[in-house]
Amino acid sequence: LCSLEKPKAVKMAALASKFANTVRISGCKPTNARRQARRACSREVRASTSSDIVTSGFKLGTLELPEPMGIGCWSWGNTTFWNDSWGEKDEAAARAAFRVAMQNDIVFFDTAEAYNGPENKGSMGGIQQGEASSEVVLGDMVKTEYDPDTMGSVPLICTKFAPLPWKIGRQTVVDSLKDSLARLGVDQVDAYMVHWPGVWQNEEYYEGLGDCVELGLAKIVGVSNHNVGQMRKAHEVLAKRGIPLAFNQLQYSLFYNNAERNGMLDAIRELDMVLMAYSPLQSGILTGKYSATILPSGPRGGLYAPVLEAAEPLFATMRACGAAHGDKTMTQVALNYLISQGNVLPIPGAKSGVQAEEFAGALGWNLTSAELETIRDEVATLRKKVTDASLPAKIVDTLMFSAGV
């Protein structure tokens, strides 16, 4: 099922991972020397297993990331969707996630103005319990939690423009970014994007992205939730000004792999872009947390039951692949599946240091080509089995498109 003979580089990665886990369990912070050793091992593994990744770090437009992963920050401070309330325990857990991610060279943090619910509008003077927004929380962490002695690389911030119907003209993109900068407490973000295609004015919004770059408010720009045609139009508008469209942020996981089947991933490679993958763990479905006998709570439980029952062969494949690479978890296999594509940057959401630590275990190694193909085959079989037996394809796509980390 999965190759049992690993190349020398992969064996080195397994040893490095085992050593790193020992250090983490003991409570010690990784030193710069240990971090550099892990980076070197990571570079060798990626060079030996993927022709797309042969250099240090991960290129996202003009940005250089030390590792091919980011962290989604939607849940930080958000009480509109993720949390019933935001208190000291929630804040402490999120801060731990930030610190652990940074200590493992996961330095890219994704937020959005749309993650600021109505109750958060007045919380621009710092974190206020029960009122903090994702942008405010992240901005405060960057100022108070970043420690160059244990974290090395500086944190990189990405946020998004919400193209609401009453936002008319390119200047609204600039003005919205200035508002986000005030919440974040910075003068410039590393990446900025249009969160979803607007009802109208999309070309004006793309021009606004270009204005943000030229004004020095954002280093790189991208789009989110755009189909291939919309993405190409954004790329065309910006290219006329000599500004690259760096990425498209989309839902993508080994479970919901439409980007592989609808030409999106191919188009992104053609345009020399990156697919920034949100919901890479599919609402926790790919973590091993749920099964045919352990279902999600609420209405999702009944809907997911036939999918989870049919997914057991896929889960078995993931567990076998994890075992072949040094006892990696299903979560780590799911994230590495995306990393192994070469131009994909997964951004799982982390609510705690424990989660961020597990995510870091997806770095420094790669699934083999044979393992990637086996996983794709299992997903195709799962889709057909569930569609033929119980659910129409539309419902399967809906289940495989549920929001989550």
Side-chain angles (χ1 to χ4, degrees):
L1 192 61
C2 294
S3 174
L4 296 179
E5 292 189 8
K6 299 186 284 293
K8 180 180 179 182
V10 174
K11 291 181 180 178
M12 288 176 62
L15 290 173
S17 176
K18 183 176 181 180
F19 174 73
N21 287 335
T22 301
V23 171
R24 290 165 189 154
I25 291 170
S26 69
C28 298
K29 294 180 179 179
T31 65
N32 288 337
R34 289 169 185 156
R35 179 163 48 247
Q36 290 167 2
R38 184 164 62 81
R39 285 185 187 175
C41 186
S42 176
R43 290 196 295 271
E44 184 177 348
V45 172
R46 281 183 246 162
S48 68
T49 57
S50 172
S51 60
D52 297 318
I53 306 175
V54 295
T55 60
S56 172
F58 181 88
K59 292 288 289 184
L60 178 63
T62 58
L63 301 179
E64 179 85 14
L65 280 61
E67 293 288 355
M69 188 183 294
I71 294 293
C73 305
W74 184 6
S75 68
W76 293 4
N78 182 277
T79 56
T80 306
F81 183 86
W82 284 104
N83 307 292
D84 294 330
S85 62
W86 184 255
E88 292 181 3
K89 289 185 178 179
D90 305 291
E91 180 186 329
R95 286 179 178 274
F98 178 88
R99 290 192 299 271
V100 172
M102 287 293 300
Q103 289 164 2
N104 284 279
D105 285 330
I106 303 172
V107 304
F108 187 86
F109 296 88
D110 175 81
T111 184
E113 68 168 316
Y115 300 164
N116 305 320
E119 76 280 8
N120 298 321
K121 287 184 177 178
S123 60
M124 292 179 55
I127 294 181
Q128 303 173 25
Q129 300 300 335
E131 295 181 353
S133 72
S134 175
E135 288 183 325
V136 172
V137 172
L138 175 59
D140 189 79
M141 288 184 190
V142 169
K143 290 193 287 288
T144 62
E145 300 291 343
Y146 172 59
D147 178 4
D149 292 333
T150 62
M151 296 175 183
S153 301
V154 298
L156 304 177
I157 299 175
C158 172
T159 193
K160 310 179 189 70
F161 166 75
L164 301 170
W166 54 85
K167 292 187 177 182
I168 306 298
R170 62 202 286 176
Q171 185 60 36
T172 61
V173 182
V174 175
D175 292 341
S176 291
L177 178 51
K178 288 180 178 178
D179 289 341
S180 287
L181 293 175
R183 286 187 290 269
L184 288 160
V186 297
D187 297 324
Q188 181 189 57
V189 291
D190 298 282
Y192 194 48
M193 74 187 89
V194 176
H195 204 156
W196 61 84
V199 178
W200 49 62
Q201 296 275 310
N202 283 307
E203 289 193 35
E204 285 292 296
Y205 294 153
Y206 306 147
E207 295 285 8
L209 290 179
D211 294 341
C212 289
V213 173
E214 292 179 351
L215 290 169
L217 302 177
K219 293 179 182 177
I220 66 170
V221 291
V223 292
S224 179
N225 299 307
H226 280 50
N227 63 31
V228 172
Q230 294 163 336
M231 179 181 72
R232 288 188 182 278
K233 173 54 69 174
H235 186 277
E236 175 188 332
V237 169
L238 289 167
K240 291 177 181 177
R241 301 172 61 173
I243 298 172
L245 185 71
F247 58 89
N248 191 356
Q249 186 180 114
L250 300 162
Q251 169 128 11
Y252 177 37
S253 70
L254 67 82
F255 196 68
Y256 185 78
N257 61 0
N258 281 10
E260 298 175 12
R261 299 183 292 115
N262 62 14
M264 175 60 76
L265 196 53
D266 289 338
I268 285 176
R269 286 171 176 152
E270 173 197 333
L271 297 174
D272 195 25
M273 295 170 56
V274 166
L275 194 162
M276 195 180 294
Y278 68 80
S279 297
L281 300 177
Q282 205 63 48
S283 300
I285 297 301
L286 296 174
T287 65
K289 178 179 179 181
Y290 302 116
S291 67
T293 57
I294 304 175
L295 300 173
S297 60
R300 284 191 310 155
L303 287 172
Y304 267 110
V307 175
L308 286 166
E309 183 176 357
E312 185 49 43
L314 169 63
F315 295 162
T317 294
M318 293 173 66
R319 288 190 290 267
C321 290
H325 290 273
D327 294 325
K328 297 298 181 181
T329 67
M330 281 181 58
T331 292
Q332 291 162 349
V333 170
L335 293 172
N336 192 270
Y337 175 90
L338 302 180
I339 293 169
S340 296
Q341 307 304 318
N343 66 325
V344 176
L345 181 75
I347 51 168
K351 284 187 171 185
S352 69
V354 172
Q355 284 186 321
E357 190 75 59
E358 184 175 17
F359 297 163
L363 302 170
W365 59 283
N366 285 88
L367 292 164
T368 67
S369 298
E371 289 166 344
L372 293 171
E373 192 59 36
T374 299
I375 289 172
R376 290 191 191 98
D377 290 344
E378 290 290 355
V379 172
T381 300
L382 166 62
R383 179 178 292 273
K384 186 176 188 305
K385 185 187 299 182
V386 175
T387 302
D388 288 352
S390 56
L391 297 173
K394 290 280 188 183
I395 297 178
V396 172
D397 278 339
T398 299
L399 291 174
M400 291 187 171
F401 191 75
S402 72
V405 296

